[in-house]
Amino acid sequence: MLCIQFFRGKWLRLLAGNTFGDISPLAATKAGKHVALIMLSFGLALILLAFADSRTDMLSLILFSVGTIYTISLVILTYYFWLKS
C-alpha cells in the first residue's frame, strides 16, 4: 500500500528528509516514484520467495538483483550530486 501511495505522489512526508515538507513538491514526487519502484521490486521478490518453487526462484533472484542495483545506483548518483553542489 505504501508503494502505491508513493507512486501516486501521496504520503511523501514519510520520505527521509521530508518530515516537515522541506523538499519541493516536484522533487518529492520524483523521489517517491523512485522509492516506489524499489519497494515494488523488493516486495515482489519477497512474495515470490515466500511461495518459492523451481519456476519462481530465478524470477525472484532477478527482481531482487534489479532492486539492489537500482538502489545502489541511486545512492551513488545522490552522493555525486551532493558532492557537486
Side-chain angles (χ1 to χ4, degrees), residues 61-78:
L61 179 63
I62 290 170
L63 286 171
F64 189 78
S65 300
V66 166
T68 303
I69 291 169
Y70 192 58
T71 303
I72 291 170
S73 65
L74 283 179
V75 169
I76 290 171
L77 284 173
T78 303

Side-chain angles (χ1 to χ4, degrees), residues 1-7 32-49 59-60 62-68 70-71:
M1 182 169 170
L2 189 60
C3 171
I4 293 169
Q5 294 299 332
F6 278 162
F7 197 77
K33 289 189 187 275
H34 287 295
V35 170
L37 290 175
I38 292 169
M39 289 174 64
L40 181 66
S41 175
F42 283 131
L44 288 175
L46 288 175
I47 288 171
L48 289 174
L49 281 175
L59 185 59
S60 62
I62 290 170
L63 286 171
F64 189 78
S65 300
V66 166
T68 303
Y70 192 58
T71 303

Side-chain angles (χ1 to χ4, degrees), residues 11-52:
W11 298 2
L12 295 175
R13 290 197 177 194
L14 292 176
L15 293 175
N18 196 29
T19 308
F20 301 107
D22 302 334
I23 302 173
S24 71
L26 183 62
T29 303
K30 187 176 178 182
K33 289 189 187 275
H34 287 295
V35 170
L37 290 175
I38 292 169
M39 289 174 64
L40 181 66
S41 175
F42 283 131
L44 288 175
L46 288 175
I47 288 171
L48 289 174
L49 281 175
F51 301 105

